Amino acid sequence: MIPEYKRSEMNSRLSMSITGKICIAIFASNLVGMVSYLALSVWILRETNSYVLSSALFGCQWILPLVWPTGIARLTEKVNAGMVAARSEWTSALLSVILIFTAESKLVPLVLILVVIRGFCDSLTRSSASLVVKFKETERNKVERDISRIEFWRIVGTSAAGMLFGLLGEQSSVKTFLICSSLVYVLTGILLWNVRNTVTMSPIGNELELDGLHVLVKALRAQRIASGWLWQLGIVAAFQGLHNAIRIAYPDQRLGQGVDGVGIVSTVSTLGVLCGGWVASRNKAINILKLFPEWTLVAIVGLLGSLAVFIPVALPSYAVYFTFMVLFEATFMVFNLNVVTNTEQHYAPVLFGFRTTLLGASTLLGLAITSVFLLMFSVTWSTLAMNVLLSAFSILLSYQYRIRRQE
C-alpha cells in the first residue's frame, strides 16, 4: 500500500506534468498559428492589393464559433478533452498542408474558408485545454493556478509570433511558414494526446443532450454565478476591439506620429499584454485584484484607456496606454479564472464552448461600435464614449447578477 502523503505527492507531480505538457502545446500552437495567419494576411495583400481582405483573414477565425455557438460543446461533451484537443491540432496540421496548395493556386476565397475552419480548431483546442484542467483538479486554487499558467503561455505564444514574423517575414515565404506550422501542430497534438487518459470526464447525461440553443440557455440559468462572470468577461473582451479600432487613429490624430506611432502602439500593447499575463499568473496579484468588485476593475481599465488617449504628449500617453493594456489583460485573466472555477463540471462543455463564441462576438462588437464612434467624433471622444458604455454595462450586469454577494 502507498501511504496517503506519498500518493498525494505523486498526484501533485503528475498534475504538474500534465499542465506542463498543455502549456508547451498551447504556446507552440499559438506561436505557429499566429505566424501563419500573419504570413497569409501579407500574402493576400500582395495578391489582391486589398487591405479589407487582408484584415478580414483575422476575423475569419471567429466566424464558425459565432454561427455555431454549441459546436465546441457538441465536440467535447462525451469525449475526453485531451483527445479532442489532440485531434484538433492534427486537423490544423492537415489544413496547413491544404493551405499550401491553395495559396500556390492563388485561390484567395478558398484560403479564407480554410482559415474559418482552422480558426475553429484553434478555439476547440483552447476550450479543450480548459476542460482538461477542470476535470483534472477538484481544488479551486489548483484550477486557478493551472489555468493561469496555460493562459499566460498562450499570450506569450501569440505575442512572440509577431516578433518572429517581424524577423523572418521578409526572408521566408508563406509556404515555409505553413510547412513549419503543420509540423509543429503534429507535435503539439502528440503532447495533448499524452494527457487524454489522465482525466475522467463526468457524464453529462440525457438531460443535457446538446440538440439546440435551449440547452445553452438552461446552462446559463443553472450556473448563475459563472454566467455573471462570463458576461463580465465578454465586456472586458470588447476592450480588445476598442484597441484594434483606435490603434491607428490614436497615434496619428492625437500624437501626430503617423505610421511610426502605429508601430509604437503595437509594441506598447504587446508588452502590456505580456506583463498583464505575467501579473495575473501570480497568486498574490490575483488575490489583490479579487478585492475589487468586478465593475470597478472594468471602470478602471476604461478610465486608463481614456486617460492615455486624452494626454497629448507621447511619452506619458504611451506609459498610461501600457498600464491600460497590463490591467486589461490581468482583468481578463482573473475574470476567465472565475468563469472556470465557478462552473460545475456538469455544465463545463456547454459554457466553455459558449465562452469562445462570446469572446469573438464581443471583440468584433467592440471594434464595430468604436469604428462607428470614430465616424462621428475624434479618437479622444470616441474612446471615452466606448469606455463609458462598457463601464455602464458592467455596472448593470453586476446589479443583475450580484456576483460578489453570491460567492
Side-chain angles (χ1 to χ4, degrees), residues 91-123:
T91 302
S92 292
L94 177 60
L95 288 169
S96 295
V97 173
I98 298 173
L99 278 166
I100 294 171
F101 296 103
T102 308
E104 289 187 341
S105 301
K106 302 185 184 301
L107 300 174
V108 174
L110 185 55
V111 167
L112 295 176
I113 292 172
L114 291 171
V115 169
V116 169
I117 302 171
R118 213 184 82 171
F120 181 78
C121 290
D122 295 340
S123 299

Side-chain angles (χ1 to χ4, degrees), residues 36 72 144 174 183 241 253 295 360 403:
S36 57
I72 292 175
E144 290 184 347
V174 66
L183 293 174
Q253 284 187 19
W295 65 267
I403 293 173

Side-chain angles (χ1 to χ4, degrees), residues 107-406:
L107 300 174
V108 174
L110 185 55
V111 167
L112 295 176
I113 292 172
L114 291 171
V115 169
V116 169
I117 302 171
R118 213 184 82 171
F120 181 78
C121 290
D122 295 340
S123 299
L124 183 59
T125 298
R126 182 180 180 184
S127 295
S128 297
S130 296
L131 285 171
V132 169
V133 172
K134 185 65 179 177
F135 285 95
K136 175 174 68 71
E137 298 288 2
T138 55
E139 296 182 24
R140 181 188 178 105
N141 63 330
K142 290 183 178 179
V143 174
E144 290 184 347
R145 177 202 64 198
D146 289 356
I147 291 292
S148 294
R149 288 180 61 197
I150 292 169
E151 286 295 303
F152 173 68
W153 284 108
R154 179 187 64 81
I155 294 167
V156 173
T158 303
S159 302
M163 293 182 281
L164 182 63
F165 186 76
L167 293 173
L168 303 177
E170 289 296 326
Q171 294 82 19
S172 305
S173 65
V174 66
K175 179 179 179 180
T176 301
F177 284 118
L178 288 171
I179 290 174
C180 291
S181 68
S182 180
L183 293 174
V184 171
Y185 279 131
V186 171
L187 296 176
T188 55
I190 293 172
L191 268 178
L192 293 170
W193 184 261
N194 287 332
V195 306
R196 73 190 187 284
N197 293 324
T198 57
V199 288
T200 302
M201 298 285 283
S202 298
I204 291 181
N206 293 329
E207 62 175 309
L208 268 180
E209 287 297 327
L210 301 176
D211 56 356
L213 289 176
H214 72 278
V215 175
L216 174 60
V217 174
K218 180 179 179 180
L220 290 170
R221 289 175 177 173
Q223 299 288 277
R224 187 168 176 81
I225 297 178
S227 298
W229 284 114
L230 188 60
W231 294 119
Q232 293 285 352
L233 183 66
I235 290 176
V236 176
F239 283 112
Q240 181 65 37
L242 165 70
H243 163 67
N244 287 327
I246 68 171
R247 64 193 308 168
I248 295 177
Y250 155 49
D252 186 35
Q253 284 187 19
R254 189 59 177 163
L255 303 176
Q257 292 192 329
V259 176
D260 291 338
V262 176
I264 295 174
V265 168
S266 297
T267 302
V268 166
S269 61
T270 298
L271 292 174
V273 167
L274 278 173
C275 290
W278 181 83
V279 167
S281 67
R282 309 292 96 185
N283 289 332
K284 289 183 179 180
I286 291 175
N287 292 333
I288 292 173
L289 290 173
K290 284 183 176 180
L291 296 176
F292 295 87
E294 62 287 343
W295 65 267
T296 305
L297 288 175
V298 173
I300 294 174
V301 171
L303 178 63
L304 286 171
S306 298
L307 179 61
V309 180
F310 262 92
I311 297 174
V313 183
L315 187 59
S317 178
Y318 288 140
V320 178
Y321 201 84
F322 169 80
T323 309
F324 158 66
M325 294 302 295
V326 170
L327 188 59
F328 152 71
E329 187 62 36
T331 300
F332 179 91
M333 289 184 67
V334 168
F335 285 12
N336 186 55
L337 285 177
N338 282 315
V339 171
V340 174
T341 54
N342 284 288
T343 301
E344 296 176 15
Q345 290 185 351
H346 188 69
Y347 295 96
V350 179
L351 292 188
F352 288 6
F354 178 65
R355 177 188 59 179
T356 301
T357 299
L358 179 64
L359 294 181
S362 297
T363 302
L364 292 175
L365 193 60
L367 173 63
I369 295 175
T370 307
S371 298
V372 171
F373 283 148
L374 286 170
L375 294 175
M376 300 183 291
F377 313 114
S378 67
V379 65
T380 304
W381 293 107
S382 296
T383 303
L384 178 62
M386 187 62 185
N387 287 329
V388 168
L389 188 64
L390 293 177
S391 299
F393 270 114
S394 181
I395 292 171
L396 289 174
L397 281 170
S398 297
Y399 175 77
Q400 179 180 355
Y401 284 90
R402 297 179 178 86
I403 293 173
R404 304 190 71 82
R405 296 181 187 178
Q406 295 187 47

Side-chain angles (χ1 to χ4, degrees), residues 63-88:
I63 290 178
L64 199 49
L66 287 177
V67 300
W68 192 24
T70 59
I72 292 175
R74 282 182 180 273
L75 294 173
T76 57
E77 176 207 7
K78 297 177 180 177
V79 183
N80 183 281
M83 190 181 297
V84 173
R87 290 172 176 172
S88 176

Side-chain angles (χ1 to χ4, degrees), residues 41 44-45 48-60 112:
S41 178
I44 289 176
L45 179 61
T48 65
N49 291 319
S50 171
Y51 288 102
V52 174
L53 287 176
S54 178
S55 59
L57 179 136
F58 294 100
C60 284
L112 295 176

